[in-house]
């Protein structure tokens, strides 16, 4: 999946900057913590294509609390460097560690053309998956509510009548995604969508050992 998180459709006004048209955006990263004393920040990437998303001059909308001094502002990238395999960003206007720490946990958003699809086969943007009907043995069991991206694997959160079920997004359990039909096919292991009966029989009454 080339772009992990789901694009959102919204206005910059939702972040405090009114007067802009609604547009589709995708999250491409999260600023985790300050790095060094010169305003650099470590980045948790939400994209498999950082060379395209994080080029010098790239501008990001910021998702931050309304109380943040960065609320409603954008951030321009000066340079992306790699330290011990970890991406570190340098940004315009972030000159020291104090400024960098004020951006910790900020999520980076960029504009996205919804007509563009991932390049690799069997890859989808999250927004393409959210809302699909989940089928098991041809019967609808719920809908895809969101996609969770964990270090080990991705999970489809399926909203069902009895609650949410997290389904590993692997071919063995999700063998088919049909965007045109609006469905995902699931072959879950027993117990994922239902409770399994207890194999141990209920204990019976104690035998009567009274000799009378």
């Amino acid at each position: 999946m080339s772009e992990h998180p789901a694009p959102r459709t919204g206005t910059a006004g939702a972040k405090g900057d009114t007067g802009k048209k609604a547009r589709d955006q995708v999250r491409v990263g999260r600023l985790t913590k300050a790095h060094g004393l010169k305003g650099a920040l470590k980045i948790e990437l939400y994209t498999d294509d950082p060379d395209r998303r994080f080029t010098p001059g790239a501008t990001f909308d910021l998702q931050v609390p309304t109380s943040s001094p960065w609320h409603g502002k954008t951030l321009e990238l000066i340079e992306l460097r790699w330290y011990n395999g970890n991406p570190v960003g340098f940004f315009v206007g972030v000159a020291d560690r104090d400024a960098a720490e004020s951006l910790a946990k900020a999520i980076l958003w960029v504009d996205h053309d919804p007509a563009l699809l991932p390049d690799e086969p069997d890859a989808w943007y999250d927004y393409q998956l959210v809302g699909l009907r989940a089928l098991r043995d041809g019967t609808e069991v719920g809908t895809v509510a969101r996609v969770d991206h964990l270090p080990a694997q991705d999970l489809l959160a399926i909203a069902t009548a009895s609650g949410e079920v997290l389904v590993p997004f692997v071919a063995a359990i999700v063998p088919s995604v049909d965007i045109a039909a609006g469905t995902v096919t699931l072959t879950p292991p027993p117990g994922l969508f239902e409770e399994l009966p207890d194999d141990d029989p209920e204990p019976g009454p104690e035998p009567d050992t009274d000799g009378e």
Side-chain angles (χ1 to χ4, degrees):
M1 191 176 299
S2 64
E3 210 80 64
H4 288 164
R8 62 179 177 181
T9 299
T11 63
K15 297 175 293 176
D17 184 8
T18 60
K20 292 185 179 180
K21 291 178 62 179
R23 75 264 196 203
D24 290 311
Q25 293 188 309
V26 293
R27 293 177 293 178
V28 293
R30 183 173 71 95
L31 304 177
T32 58
K33 62 181 180 179
H35 177 82
L37 303 176
K38 297 183 178 180
L41 284 133
K42 290 185 176 180
I43 304 173
E44 178 185 0
L45 294 177
Y46 291 160
T47 174
D48 294 338
D49 194 5
D51 291 339
R52 178 169 66 95
R53 293 299 193 186
F54 289 84
T55 58
T59 301
F60 306 95
D61 284 342
L62 296 172
Q63 181 181 339
V64 294
T66 55
S67 58
S68 169
W70 295 95
H71 183 261
K73 298 182 180 180
T74 60
L75 202 59
E76 181 180 343
L77 180 70
I78 298 173
E79 184 181 8
L80 182 71
R81 299 180 185 174
W82 294 82
Y83 293 93
N84 298 321
N86 298 311
V88 174
F90 294 80
F91 299 92
V92 173
V94 187
D96 56 34
R97 188 175 183 88
D98 287 342
E101 288 178 344
S102 71
L103 279 163
K105 299 184 180 180
I107 296 176
L108 305 177
W109 293 80
V110 297
D111 289 346
H112 167 75
D113 183 352
L116 296 177
L117 299 178
D119 294 330
E120 61 266 36
D122 295 329
W124 303 271
Y125 291 114
D126 288 11
Y127 76 97
Q128 295 177 286
L129 300 169
V130 172
L132 296 184
R133 294 178 295 117
L135 305 181
R136 180 185 186 184
D137 297 327
T139 301
E140 183 173 340
V141 294
T143 58
V144 179
R146 69 177 188 280
V147 185
D148 291 339
H149 301 282
L150 305 182
Q153 63 186 1
D154 294 340
L155 299 174
L156 295 182
I158 308 297
T160 75
S162 57
E164 185 178 88
V165 178
L166 296 177
V167 177
F169 195 11
V170 295
I173 301 177
V174 188
S176 175
V177 175
D178 191 334
I179 299 298
T183 63
V184 293
T185 298
L186 308 179
T187 54
L192 189 59
F193 278 83
E194 66 283 306
E195 293 187 9
L196 296 177
D198 192 347
D199 292 335
D200 296 328
E202 291 292 331
E206 292 290 332
D208 186 2
T209 57
D210 192 341
E212 296 182 5

